[in-house]
Structure formats: C-alpha cells, structure tokens
Amino acid sequence: MSEIDRLLAEHCPDGVEVVMLGEIGTFVRGRRFTKADMVEEGIPCIHYGEIYTEYGVSARTTVSYVREDLRNQLCYAQPGDVIVAGVGETVEDVGKAVAWLGEEEVAIHDDSFLFRSELNPTYVSYYFQTSAFHAEKGQYVARAKVKRLSRSGLSRITIPAPPPGVQSEIVRILNKMTELQAELQAELRAELQARTRQYEHYRDKLLKFKERVA
C-alpha cells in the first residue's frame, strides 16, 4: 500500500469529496497593466502570457516587474494563491495555472485570475493540467478568436478535495517526477548537441576532397 492509499484509507474511507472551485475558494480578476509599464526593477508582476512561456507548475520569483507608481492601481496575488490565465490562443491553452510560492505579493494582469483557497496551491496547479480539468473546462470557454474563461465559468469547475496530507503527498510525488523529467530532457539535449557536432564534423570531413591538379 502506498502512502497515498494509506492516507486515503485513514482519512476518507468512503471516497474523496469533489467540490466546485467556487465553493471551496474565491477567484479575483487581475488589474490592467501593459508591457510598456514593465521595468527592470519595480513591483514583481506576472503577465498572463508569461504563464504559458515562463512558468511551470509553481514559482517563487517573477521574471518581470512593473512600475512603482502603479502600486495602488494593481491587483495582487498573495503567497499561496494560484494564478490562472483567463485568455489563450486555444481551448487547450486557456486556464493554465501557476502556484505562487514567493514570499511577497505579486501583481497580476487583468487577463488572469487569482484563486485563493485552503487547498495546497501546487496541488491545484497540477490538477489544472489534468485531462479531467480540461474536459470540464471546455464547456465554459468562450470560443471567439481569442479563447476566454470567465470567473463564473472557473467557479463551476469541480476539483477533488482530499485531506491536506494527501494533497502534499501527491505534490511531493509529482514534483519528483517533474524533476526527473527535466533531468532527462537536459540529458537528451546534451546528447543531441553532441551527436549534431559529431555529424557536422564527419559531414565536413567526408565531403572535403583533395583537388586534382591540372
């Protein structure tokens, strides 16, 4: 029996409760700022587009900052919140999430939402990657040229809510698997680079001939 099985048998022998996100937490939409407002030093911020390109399942630091003079105009995610992209190019993309585990608040863009609950934020972020989440999310996505999720739609999506110990164990296992996957990808990239250099060396060597002197 795995540790998860043991915890489930101990704390919820009759099964895990499934609840709507809006019943167990709160969604708050971010506030507008533009890329022109971003600076090298200032208020830590997360633009919705960066959730797709710069962040994994969780983050402790930001890659961007916004001007200090906008401080009172912004919406902030607190440590332990989950930041969700509300806009995407495809139905599959929209709804990607990152758990904010930093030590300070972070400003979030108005095309994103913060989700605040008692759930483990990284557990929530991982769940937002599952096929079950994507299948349920699909019915709430507005399918215009740009795909959008509303606060009311997100609130209706359900999530299993096991005990905190189970959530933590799931996160521990998935974090370890994510680390192993990253290590393997790095090894494969290094191997590919080495093979590419080897190929280029032999290509140039095999196609270089001594020229005939007339």
Side-chain angles (χ1 to χ4, degrees):
M1 177 181 291
S2 70
E3 179 63 12
I4 291 178
D5 290 333
R6 186 190 68 77
L7 290 168
L8 288 172
E10 179 181 349
H11 296 288
C12 40
D14 297 326
V16 173
E17 183 182 14
V18 177
V19 297
M20 287 196 299
L21 290 167
E23 293 176 342
I24 203 168
T26 303
F27 285 97
V28 178
R29 186 174 180 173
R31 292 281 184 86
R32 181 74 174 169
F33 60 84
T34 68
K35 290 188 176 180
D37 295 322
M38 293 182 179
V39 291
E40 291 190 5
E41 293 184 6
I43 301 167
C45 70
I46 293 180
H47 187 276
Y48 87 93
E50 295 173 340
I51 298 175
Y52 299 110
T53 60
E54 301 291 343
Y55 297 101
V57 71
S58 65
R60 296 182 182 276
T61 59
T62 68
V63 298
S64 299
Y65 301 86
V66 72
R67 299 185 346 240
E68 281 283 353
D69 60 292
L70 297 176
R71 180 171 294 276
N72 294 332
Q73 304 173 33
L74 301 173
C75 173
Y76 296 92
Q78 302 298 323
D81 289 344
V82 180
I83 304 167
V84 185
V87 174
E89 294 184 358
T90 68
V91 174
E92 291 73 22
D93 281 345
V94 67
K96 187 178 185 297
V98 54
W100 177 242
L101 306 181
E103 296 182 356
E104 59 184 333
E105 62 185 13
V106 57
I108 64 168
H109 190 263
D110 68 334
D111 279 328
S112 61
F113 300 91
L114 67 84
F115 176 66
R116 186 168 295 156
S117 74
E118 295 300 318
L119 295 173
N120 183 309
T122 310
Y123 168 81
V124 174
S125 187
Y126 272 125
Y127 186 76
F128 275 35
Q129 297 179 350
T130 65
S131 56
F133 173 81
H134 288 298
E136 192 171 358
K137 172 197 71 178
Q139 62 186 303
Y140 301 113
V141 176
R143 287 169 167 77
K145 183 176 180 181
V146 175
K147 310 303 183 287
R148 291 184 179 275
L149 266 171
S150 66
R151 178 167 50 194
S152 61
L154 282 165
S155 295
R156 293 188 183 97
I157 298 173
T158 59
I159 186 170
V166 174
Q167 296 176 42
S168 296
E169 180 64 8
I170 289 172
V171 167
R172 185 191 69 79
I173 292 171
L174 293 178
N175 280 348
K176 183 63 177 177
M177 294 180 70
T178 300
E179 291 172 9
L180 292 173
Q181 183 183 43
E183 290 173 5
L184 178 59
Q185 288 174 339
E187 291 172 1
L188 290 173
R189 282 195 298 271
E191 178 67 16
L192 178 60
Q193 290 171 354
R195 293 298 182 185
T196 299
R197 289 193 296 270
Q198 183 183 48
Y199 161 77
E200 291 172 347
H201 169 77
Y202 282 105
R203 176 197 63 198
D204 293 350
K205 184 176 181 179
L206 290 169
L207 293 174
K208 184 177 182 180
F209 302 96
K210 181 180 179 181
E211 296 184 11
R212 179 185 297 174
V213 178

